[in-house]
Amino acid sequence: CRSKPATARIPWRPALSFSSSPFVIFLHFLYKIMAVHGPLVKIHPVVLASIVDSYERRNEGASRVIGTLLGTADKHSVEVTNCFSVPHNESEDEVAVDMEFAKNMYELHKKVSPSEVIIGWYATGYDITEHSVLIHEYYSREAPNPIHMTVDTALQSNKMNIRAYVSSQMGVPGKTVGVMFTPLTIKYIYYDTERIGVDLLQRTRASPSRTNGLTTDLAQVASAAGRVQEMLSTMLSYIEDVLSGKVMADNSVGRYLMDLVNKVPKITAEDFESMLNSNINDLLMVTYLANLTQAQIALNEKLVVL
C-alpha cells in the first residue's frame, strides 16, 4: 500500500484587486514600458533542457509543469545552474503542491552540490496566473526575494520565450494589497563542457532527420582552427579598412586588439614547433597506453569467461 504524498492546498484568491481607475491604468501601462533595475539572471542551457524534458513527460491532462530553480546569487546577478520539477495539481479553486517532494529533492541536491541553493521557481506557459502568486508565496519562505521564470513551451509566438520576474507588493496600506511581477534581464551563459552539447544541438538544425553524432577529436580541432582563421580574417579586414580610411576607428575595438596582441607569447617559430611536437608525442603515448590497457582488460575478461 503506497501512501499519498503530502501536498499543500492553497485556496484561490485574486493576485491583484483594484478598480479600473485612470491611475491604475496608468500604473499598468508604466509597468509594461518601464525598464526594471534588478539582478541580472544568468541561465545555463542544462536548465532549459531539463524544463523542456519535464514538460514532455508531464502527466496526462496537465497544462503546465512547475519546479525549483537552483543556483547562486549575489548583489548584482542570479545564476541558475540546475533545477528539478515538482508534482502539483491545479483547479479553478485551489492548487496543490507536493512540498515534501520538493524538500527531499533539495536535500539530495545539497549532497551533490552544496553550493547550489534555492533561488526561485519556474513554470511552463506564457502568462502569470493567479495560482502563480500563491506558489510564489511558498518559495518566498524558502529563499529571499526568489525569482520566477516562465518558459513558453507551447511556442505561442513561434519561439520559446523565456522571461524572469521578481515580485513586489503593491497597494494601499491597510486595504487591498496585491503582488506585481516585474521583469528582469536574462543572459544565457554556459560552461565549456556545456558548449559541446549546445554546438551539437545547433548542428541538428541542418539535418533533415534532426539527428547528428559526435565528431572525432581531430575533427573538433580542425573545426576550431577554421573558426579561429575566420575570426583572424575578419580582424585583419577591419584593420585594413581602418588604415585605408574606409571605416572610422573605434577606440574600444583598438583596446581589445591591443589586449589580444599582448596575450600572444613571444616565441620563435623553431621553439614553437619543438614544443608542439613534444606535446603531440606525449599525447600519442598516452593514447597508445590507454588503448593497450583497454585491449588487455578485454582479453582478460574473455579468458575469465573461458
Side-chain angles (χ1 to χ4, degrees):
C1 180
R2 184 179 179 182
S3 61
K4 185 178 180 181
T7 58
R9 297 185 178 275
I10 312 171
W12 176 88
R13 67 175 184 272
L16 190 59
S17 177
F18 286 120
S19 61
S20 299
S21 62
F23 177 70
V24 173
I25 295 176
F26 169 74
L27 287 178
H28 181 73
F29 175 75
L30 186 63
Y31 157 73
K32 290 294 185 180
I33 65 174
M34 181 178 57
V36 178
H37 297 283
L40 176 66
V41 181
K42 302 177 181 178
I43 304 177
H44 286 258
V46 67
V47 177
L48 303 179
S50 179
I51 294 174
V52 173
D53 180 70
S54 62
Y55 178 77
E56 292 294 331
R57 299 172 183 268
R58 69 189 185 279
N59 296 329
E60 184 178 358
S63 59
R64 68 170 183 168
V65 295
I66 67 171
T68 302
L69 296 175
L70 303 175
T72 57
D74 54 28
K75 295 181 180 179
H76 305 289
S77 64
V78 176
E79 185 172 351
V80 187
T81 57
N82 207 340
C83 68
F84 60 86
S85 61
V86 177
H88 84 294
N89 293 316
E90 293 186 59
S91 64
E92 295 182 358
D93 299 329
E94 62 182 7
V95 54
V97 182
D98 194 345
M99 296 181 179
E100 189 67 24
F101 177 87
K103 292 180 180 178
N104 293 336
M105 286 294 294
Y106 177 55
E107 292 297 328
L108 293 175
H109 273 79
K110 284 175 61 178
K111 295 180 180 180
V112 179
S113 302
S115 60
E116 292 181 346
V117 297
I118 297 177
I119 57 176
W121 67 289
Y122 72 84
T124 58
Y126 187 78
D127 297 324
I128 297 177
T129 64
E130 292 84 357
H131 292 164
S132 299
V133 180
L134 305 178
I135 300 173
H136 196 79
E137 289 182 0
Y138 161 72
Y139 280 95
S140 297
R141 298 191 295 268
E142 300 294 327
N145 198 21
I147 64 172
H148 173 40
M149 187 173 69
T150 60
V151 181
D152 182 17
T153 50
L155 307 179
Q156 295 185 8
S157 58
N158 296 326
K159 65 178 181 178
M160 185 178 293
N161 286 318
I162 301 170
R163 295 184 174 89
Y165 303 89
V166 65
S167 67
S168 58
Q169 290 189 352
M170 180 181 179
V172 180
K175 296 185 179 180
T176 304
V177 178
V179 176
M180 182 177 68
F181 285 87
T182 51
L184 300 174
T185 304
I186 292 179
K187 181 180 179 180
Y188 304 105
I189 62 175
Y190 47 80
Y191 299 124
D192 293 338
T193 52
E194 293 176 328
R195 177 63 184 270
I196 300 175
V198 173
D199 291 341
L200 179 61
L201 291 176
Q202 288 181 346
R203 289 199 299 269
T204 59
R205 297 171 57 185
S207 176
S209 60
R210 295 294 183 181
T211 58
N212 202 337
L214 292 174
T215 57
T216 61
D217 295 340
L218 186 59
Q220 292 182 5
V221 172
S223 177
R227 289 196 299 268
V228 172
Q229 186 175 5
E230 291 179 0
M231 289 186 289
L232 289 175
S233 300
T234 303
M235 181 185 66
L236 293 175
S237 177
Y238 170 77
I239 294 174
E240 292 176 356
D241 291 341
V242 171
L243 295 177
S244 62
K246 297 180 180 179
V247 178
M248 184 67 65
D250 190 344
N251 294 332
S252 60
V253 176
R255 285 191 291 268
Y256 282 123
L257 292 176
M258 182 61 67
D259 184 60
L260 176 63
V261 172
N262 291 332
K263 288 182 179 180
V264 177
K266 295 181 179 179
I267 185 173
T268 61
E270 293 77 9
D271 293 339
F272 178 78
E273 184 177 0
S274 176
M275 180 180 62
L276 181 62
N277 292 333
S278 176
N279 291 334
I280 291 177
N281 291 334
D282 294 341
L283 178 61
L284 293 176
M285 178 61 69
V286 172
T287 304
Y288 172 75
L289 293 177
N291 293 334
L292 184 61
T293 304
Q294 186 178 5
Q296 181 68 25
I297 294 174
L299 182 61
N300 184 46
E301 291 177 353
K302 292 184 178 181
L303 292 176
V304 170
V305 172
L306 295 176

